mmCIF file of all heavy atoms in Angstrom:
data_model
loop_
_atom_site.group_PDB
_atom_site.id
_atom_site.type_symbol
_atom_site.label_atom_id
_atom_site.label_comp_id
_atom_site.label_asym_id
_atom_site.label_seq_id
_atom_site.Cartn_x
_atom_site.Cartn_y
_atom_site.Cartn_z
ATOM 1 N N ILE A 6 42.472 71.347 -1.073
ATOM 2 C CA ILE A 6 41.065 71.077 -1.415
ATOM 3 C C ILE A 6 40.171 71.314 -0.197
ATOM 4 O O ILE A 6 39.036 71.792 -0.323
ATOM 5 C CB ILE A 6 40.892 69.650 -1.999
ATOM 6 C CG1 ILE A 6 39.497 69.414 -2.519
ATOM 7 C CG2 ILE A 6 41.201 68.568 -0.997
ATOM 8 C CD1 ILE A 6 39.414 68.964 -3.891
ATOM 9 N N PHE A 7 40.663 70.991 0.991
ATOM 10 C CA PHE A 7 39.868 71.159 2.191
ATOM 11 C C PHE A 7 39.647 72.646 2.506
ATOM 12 O O PHE A 7 38.554 73.056 2.872
ATOM 13 C CB PHE A 7 40.515 70.441 3.372
ATOM 14 C CG PHE A 7 40.716 68.954 3.188
ATOM 15 C CD1 PHE A 7 41.839 68.325 3.703
ATOM 16 C CD2 PHE A 7 39.784 68.189 2.519
ATOM 17 C CE1 PHE A 7 42.014 66.958 3.537
ATOM 18 C CE2 PHE A 7 39.951 66.820 2.348
ATOM 19 C CZ PHE A 7 41.087 66.208 2.870
ATOM 20 N N ILE A 10 37.035 74.032 0.302
ATOM 21 C CA ILE A 10 35.668 73.705 0.792
ATOM 22 C C ILE A 10 35.291 74.622 1.934
ATOM 23 O O ILE A 10 34.193 75.200 1.959
ATOM 24 C CB ILE A 10 35.605 72.217 1.196
ATOM 25 C CG1 ILE A 10 35.730 71.327 -0.034
ATOM 26 C CG2 ILE A 10 34.280 71.926 1.941
ATOM 27 C CD1 ILE A 10 35.889 69.844 0.265
ATOM 28 N N ILE A 15 34.533 75.462 -3.338
ATOM 29 C CA ILE A 15 33.984 74.262 -3.954
ATOM 30 C C ILE A 15 32.995 73.664 -2.932
ATOM 31 O O ILE A 15 33.102 73.893 -1.736
ATOM 32 C CB ILE A 15 35.048 73.216 -4.366
ATOM 33 C CG1 ILE A 15 35.938 72.825 -3.185
ATOM 34 C CG2 ILE A 15 35.903 73.733 -5.498
ATOM 35 C CD1 ILE A 15 36.881 71.724 -3.565
ATOM 36 N N PRO A 16 31.987 72.909 -3.439
ATOM 37 C CA PRO A 16 30.937 72.434 -2.533
ATOM 38 C C PRO A 16 31.447 71.360 -1.576
ATOM 39 O O PRO A 16 32.379 70.610 -1.872
ATOM 40 C CB PRO A 16 29.884 71.856 -3.452
ATOM 41 C CG PRO A 16 30.415 71.892 -4.849
ATOM 42 C CD PRO A 16 31.739 72.585 -4.842
ATOM 43 N N GLY A 17 30.814 71.325 -0.421
ATOM 44 C CA GLY A 17 31.156 70.312 0.594
ATOM 45 C C GLY A 17 30.215 70.508 1.788
ATOM 46 O O GLY A 17 29.791 71.643 2.035
ATOM 47 N N GLU A 18 29.964 69.445 2.494
ATOM 48 C CA GLU A 18 29.074 69.529 3.656
ATOM 49 C C GLU A 18 29.921 69.731 4.905
ATOM 50 O O GLU A 18 30.637 68.793 5.334
ATOM 51 C CB GLU A 18 28.213 68.270 3.779
ATOM 52 C CG GLU A 18 27.175 68.387 4.886
ATOM 53 C CD GLU A 18 26.358 67.122 5.084
ATOM 54 O OE1 GLU A 18 26.504 66.165 4.301
ATOM 55 O OE2 GLU A 18 25.594 67.080 6.058
ATOM 56 N N ILE A 29 34.259 67.995 7.556
ATOM 57 C CA ILE A 29 33.391 67.830 6.382
ATOM 58 C C ILE A 29 33.047 66.353 6.242
ATOM 59 O O ILE A 29 33.740 65.484 6.784
ATOM 60 C CB ILE A 29 34.098 68.289 5.096
ATOM 61 C CG1 ILE A 29 35.376 67.520 4.807
ATOM 62 C CG2 ILE A 29 34.384 69.793 5.177
ATOM 63 C CD1 ILE A 29 36.043 67.849 3.463
ATOM 64 N N ARG A 30 31.979 66.077 5.508
ATOM 65 C CA ARG A 30 31.641 64.714 5.185
ATOM 66 C C ARG A 30 32.500 64.274 4.017
ATOM 67 O O ARG A 30 32.678 65.023 3.058
ATOM 68 C CB ARG A 30 30.159 64.601 4.816
ATOM 69 C CG ARG A 30 29.536 63.295 5.192
ATOM 70 C CD ARG A 30 28.057 63.267 4.864
ATOM 71 N NE ARG A 30 27.201 63.825 5.884
ATOM 72 C CZ ARG A 30 26.826 63.232 7.020
ATOM 73 N NH1 ARG A 30 27.294 62.042 7.302
ATOM 74 N NH2 ARG A 30 26.025 63.846 7.874
ATOM 75 N N ASP A 31 33.111 63.063 4.132
ATOM 76 C CA ASP A 31 33.959 62.558 3.033
ATOM 77 C C ASP A 31 33.100 62.307 1.797
ATOM 78 O O ASP A 31 31.997 61.776 1.880
ATOM 79 C CB ASP A 31 34.676 61.271 3.483
ATOM 80 C CG ASP A 31 35.872 60.964 2.579
ATOM 81 O OD1 ASP A 31 35.652 60.608 1.386
ATOM 82 O OD2 ASP A 31 37.020 61.105 3.053
ATOM 83 N N ILE A 32 33.652 62.672 0.650
ATOM 84 C CA ILE A 32 32.937 62.547 -0.627
ATOM 85 C C ILE A 32 32.760 61.079 -1.005
ATOM 86 O O ILE A 32 31.853 60.739 -1.805
ATOM 87 C CB ILE A 32 33.683 63.346 -1.714
ATOM 88 C CG1 ILE A 32 32.740 63.699 -2.864
ATOM 89 C CG2 ILE A 32 34.894 62.574 -2.218
ATOM 90 C CD1 ILE A 32 33.326 64.702 -3.843
ATOM 91 N N ASN A 33 33.573 60.211 -0.458
ATOM 92 C CA ASN A 33 33.573 58.776 -0.783
ATOM 93 C C ASN A 33 33.479 57.953 0.499
ATOM 94 O O ASN A 33 34.422 57.326 0.922
ATOM 95 C CB ASN A 33 34.860 58.453 -1.560
ATOM 96 C CG ASN A 33 34.926 57.010 -1.996
ATOM 97 O OD1 ASN A 33 33.879 56.357 -2.157
ATOM 98 N ND2 ASN A 33 36.133 56.495 -2.179
ATOM 99 N N HIS A 39 31.294 59.087 7.921
ATOM 100 C CA HIS A 39 32.707 59.215 7.525
ATOM 101 C C HIS A 39 32.960 60.697 7.335
ATOM 102 O O HIS A 39 32.613 61.281 6.318
ATOM 103 C CB HIS A 39 32.982 58.443 6.221
ATOM 104 C CG HIS A 39 34.431 58.443 5.833
ATOM 105 N ND1 HIS A 39 34.903 57.693 4.759
ATOM 106 C CD2 HIS A 39 35.512 59.106 6.308
ATOM 107 C CE1 HIS A 39 36.219 57.891 4.647
ATOM 108 N NE2 HIS A 39 36.607 58.772 5.568
ATOM 109 N N LEU A 41 35.860 64.018 7.893
ATOM 110 C CA LEU A 41 37.276 64.401 7.963
ATOM 111 C C LEU A 41 37.358 65.588 8.905
ATOM 112 O O LEU A 41 36.635 66.571 8.701
ATOM 113 C CB LEU A 41 37.792 64.767 6.577
ATOM 114 C CG LEU A 41 37.624 63.701 5.497
ATOM 115 C CD1 LEU A 41 37.969 64.291 4.114
ATOM 116 C CD2 LEU A 41 38.490 62.479 5.779
ATOM 117 N N PHE A 86 44.488 58.189 10.652
ATOM 118 C CA PHE A 86 45.335 59.174 9.968
ATOM 119 C C PHE A 86 46.201 58.386 8.990
ATOM 120 O O PHE A 86 46.968 57.508 9.393
ATOM 121 C CB PHE A 86 46.285 59.867 10.956
ATOM 122 C CG PHE A 86 45.625 60.813 11.916
ATOM 123 C CD1 PHE A 86 45.194 60.391 13.133
ATOM 124 C CD2 PHE A 86 45.502 62.162 11.591
ATOM 125 C CE1 PHE A 86 44.646 61.278 14.063
ATOM 126 C CE2 PHE A 86 44.929 63.047 12.492
ATOM 127 C CZ PHE A 86 44.495 62.595 13.745
ATOM 128 N N ASN A 87 46.117 58.696 7.719
ATOM 129 C CA ASN A 87 47.036 58.127 6.752
ATOM 130 C C ASN A 87 48.251 59.050 6.703
ATOM 131 O O ASN A 87 48.122 60.282 6.598
ATOM 132 C CB ASN A 87 46.379 58.060 5.376
ATOM 133 C CG ASN A 87 45.230 57.057 5.358
ATOM 134 O OD1 ASN A 87 45.291 56.026 6.034
ATOM 135 N ND2 ASN A 87 44.167 57.357 4.610
ATOM 136 N N GLY A 93 48.430 55.578 1.955
ATOM 137 C CA GLY A 93 47.098 55.946 1.480
ATOM 138 C C GLY A 93 46.769 57.423 1.557
ATOM 139 O O GLY A 93 45.668 57.823 1.243
ATOM 140 N N GLN A 94 47.738 58.245 2.024
ATOM 141 C CA GLN A 94 47.451 59.668 2.111
ATOM 142 C C GLN A 94 47.479 60.292 0.715
ATOM 143 O O GLN A 94 48.418 60.084 -0.064
ATOM 144 C CB GLN A 94 48.482 60.382 3.011
ATOM 145 C CG GLN A 94 48.136 61.837 3.270
ATOM 146 C CD GLN A 94 49.065 62.524 4.285
ATOM 147 O OE1 GLN A 94 50.056 61.913 4.723
ATOM 148 N NE2 GLN A 94 48.767 63.760 4.609
ATOM 149 N N SER A 95 46.436 61.049 0.397
ATOM 150 C CA SER A 95 46.373 61.706 -0.912
ATOM 151 C C SER A 95 46.290 63.225 -0.791
ATOM 152 O O SER A 95 46.538 63.936 -1.756
ATOM 153 C CB SER A 95 45.177 61.179 -1.702
ATOM 154 O OG SER A 95 43.976 61.416 -1.026
ATOM 155 N N VAL A 96 45.902 63.714 0.379
ATOM 156 C CA VAL A 96 45.827 65.158 0.607
ATOM 157 C C VAL A 96 46.775 65.507 1.734
ATOM 158 O O VAL A 96 46.616 64.987 2.848
ATOM 159 C CB VAL A 96 44.384 65.614 0.966
ATOM 160 C CG1 VAL A 96 44.334 67.120 1.192
ATOM 161 C CG2 VAL A 96 43.407 65.218 -0.138
ATOM 162 N N PHE A 97 47.741 66.367 1.447
ATOM 163 C CA PHE A 97 48.848 66.608 2.382
ATOM 164 C C PHE A 97 48.591 67.872 3.206
ATOM 165 O O PHE A 97 49.451 68.771 3.301
ATOM 166 C CB PHE A 97 50.195 66.592 1.638
ATOM 167 C CG PHE A 97 50.464 65.189 1.148
ATOM 168 C CD1 PHE A 97 49.978 64.765 -0.107
ATOM 169 C CD2 PHE A 97 51.118 64.255 1.935
ATOM 170 C CE1 PHE A 97 50.155 63.450 -0.539
ATOM 171 C CE2 PHE A 97 51.309 62.945 1.507
ATOM 172 C CZ PHE A 97 50.818 62.545 0.268
ATOM 173 N N HIS A 100 44.631 65.551 8.227
ATOM 174 C CA HIS A 100 43.213 65.356 8.494
ATOM 175 C C HIS A 100 43.008 63.990 9.132
ATOM 176 O O HIS A 100 43.720 63.027 8.829
ATOM 177 C CB HIS A 100 42.383 65.437 7.211
ATOM 178 C CG HIS A 100 42.885 64.533 6.115
ATOM 179 N ND1 HIS A 100 43.969 64.861 5.366
ATOM 180 C CD2 HIS A 100 42.448 63.339 5.704
ATOM 181 C CE1 HIS A 100 44.212 63.882 4.520
ATOM 182 N NE2 HIS A 100 43.282 62.925 4.692
ATOM 183 N N HIS A 102 40.365 60.862 9.632
ATOM 184 C CA HIS A 102 39.130 60.236 9.183
ATOM 185 C C HIS A 102 38.406 59.760 10.434
ATOM 186 O O HIS A 102 38.975 59.070 11.284
ATOM 187 C CB HIS A 102 39.431 58.993 8.333
ATOM 188 C CG HIS A 102 40.077 59.292 7.035
ATOM 189 N ND1 HIS A 102 39.414 59.300 5.839
ATOM 190 C CD2 HIS A 102 41.378 59.578 6.730
ATOM 191 C CE1 HIS A 102 40.277 59.563 4.849
ATOM 192 N NE2 HIS A 102 41.472 59.749 5.366
ATOM 193 N N LEU A 115 41.456 52.468 3.880
ATOM 194 C CA LEU A 115 41.371 53.808 3.267
ATOM 195 C C LEU A 115 42.636 54.141 2.523
ATOM 196 O O LEU A 115 43.718 53.854 3.001
ATOM 197 C CB LEU A 115 41.176 54.865 4.364
ATOM 198 C CG LEU A 115 39.801 54.867 5.018
ATOM 199 C CD1 LEU A 115 39.808 55.753 6.234
ATOM 200 C CD2 LEU A 115 38.766 55.342 4.032
HETATM 201 P P1 LIG B 1 43.603 60.679 2.462
HETATM 202 O O1 LIG B 1 43.602 59.677 1.318
HETATM 203 O O2 LIG B 1 44.551 61.856 2.191
HETATM 204 O O3 LIG B 1 43.826 60.075 3.816
HETATM 205 O O4 LIG B 1 42.134 61.248 2.557
HETATM 206 C C1 LIG B 1 41.624 62.188 1.641
HETATM 207 C C2 LIG B 1 40.118 62.016 1.705
HETATM 208 O O5 LIG B 1 39.577 63.206 1.116
HETATM 209 C C3 LIG B 1 39.594 60.845 0.906
HETATM 210 O O6 LIG B 1 38.879 59.949 1.772
HETATM 211 C C4 LIG B 1 38.694 61.466 -0.158
HETATM 212 O O7 LIG B 1 37.509 60.729 -0.394
HETATM 213 C C5 LIG B 1 38.395 62.832 0.428
HETATM 214 N N1 LIG B 1 38.172 63.844 -0.570
HETATM 215 C C6 LIG B 1 38.944 64.113 -1.649
HETATM 216 N N2 LIG B 1 38.440 65.132 -2.362
HETATM 217 C C7 LIG B 1 37.299 65.533 -1.703
HETATM 218 C C8 LIG B 1 36.320 66.540 -1.973
HETATM 219 O O8 LIG B 1 36.389 67.291 -2.952
HETATM 220 N N3 LIG B 1 35.296 66.645 -1.073
HETATM 221 C C9 LIG B 1 35.209 65.836 0.020
HETATM 222 N N4 LIG B 1 34.174 66.043 0.832
HETATM 223 N N5 LIG B 1 36.123 64.866 0.301
HETATM 224 C C10 LIG B 1 37.145 64.720 -0.563
#
Side-chain angles (χ1 to χ4, degrees):
I6 188 126
F7 300 144
I10 292 171
I15 58 174
E18 187 184 353
I29 61 174
R30 211 177 276 282
D31 198 290
I32 203 169
N33 182 25
H39 184 173
L41 304 171
F86 290 91
N87 294 325
Q94 187 174 5
S95 60
V96 180
F97 293 87
H100 53 282
H102 295 258
L115 289 170

